[in-house]
Every structure is written in C-alpha cells, then in structure tokens.
Amino acid sequence: MMWKTAAGDSGEVQLGPDDKWTFGRAGGGEDLTVGIDHPLVSRTALVIRDAGPGPVVFRGQRDNGATVALVSVIGSISWLDEGTARNLSAEENRVELSLDDEVLVTVDVEFEGRGTVVERQQAAD
C-alpha cells in the first residue's frame, strides 16, 4: 500500500496476515502507522487489514463533517459509513478520508486475490 497525506507526508508499507495500517489522531493508546494532529479526526479514523479475498478497510472516523470514499480505477465512488468495514477489490482499491472537502489522506492498495479465508483454510487441509 502507498499513502499520502494533505501535508505531503507519504510512505509505502506491505501488510502481512496479522498486520494492519492505521490512520488517526495522534495521542491515543494505540501506535498509529500515520498520525495527524487534528481535533476532528478520530483516534483510529481508518484501519486497513490484510484479509481474504482482499484487504478490509474499516471506518472508525466519526461524522464530524468527514467522508470516506472508496474510489474505483475508473473513478466511480462509493461511500463508507461510520463504523462499517468493506473488502477492497482490484477495481475499488483507493481510500480517501476527507474532512470539510479537504482530502486528509489517500491510500492506494495493490494486492492479489487469494480467495476467502475459508477457501484458503480448506486448501491448506
């Protein structure tokens, strides 16, 4: 995954089976991958985990005028509601968290489909 903040910070990280990437307001009990000092951003605003068949993005961000968009490769957008999660796909692999129409963080996720967790467990047996 590659991420970039509105402040110009960026990075790249590879997630393994037990890894997660987190974005949120700094100062909480959890070590964030990317922290921001903004009072309207939740402590764990976005969490992306490795899962099957593809990564899962969770929106922990409270409303506060924020939106979380899942953007497809052709530019179509679907919205992630507060407190919900969704699998990313090869077609829908960009996540943008905005506050008052300013994109605070953009995350591009590249991955290979691996089948569901059940399918992978059955293949291992």
Side-chain angles (χ1 to χ4, degrees), residues 46-112:
L46 286 177
V47 178
I48 299 176
R49 290 183 177 273
D50 181 31
V56 172
V57 59
F58 171 75
R59 176 186 169 167
Q61 173 62 40
R62 297 181 311 267
D63 185 6
N64 289 344
T67 58
V68 174
L70 303 181
V71 184
S72 75
V73 293
I74 61 170
S76 63
I77 296 173
S78 60
W79 305 100
L80 192 59
D81 294 329
E82 178 181 349
T84 61
R86 186 180 314 164
N87 277 89
L88 296 173
S89 67
E91 292 79 30
E92 193 175 60
N93 63 349
R94 173 175 278 184
V95 181
E96 294 178 345
L97 186 143
S98 300
L99 189 61
D100 298 326
D101 296 325
E102 177 188 5
V103 177
L104 297 181
V105 67
T106 301
V107 184
D108 289 308
V109 183
E110 294 179 12
F111 63 96
E112 294 180 12

Side-chain angles (χ1 to χ4, degrees), residues 19-60:
D19 297 335
K20 65 181 176 179
W21 179 92
T22 54
F23 170 81
R25 186 173 74 240
E30 185 169 341
D31 289 333
L32 300 169
T33 309
V34 180
I36 186 171
D37 186 20
H38 194 299
L40 296 180
V41 174
S42 299
R43 296 213 187 273
T44 51
L46 286 177
V47 178
I48 299 176
R49 290 183 177 273
D50 181 31
V56 172
V57 59
F58 171 75
R59 176 186 169 167

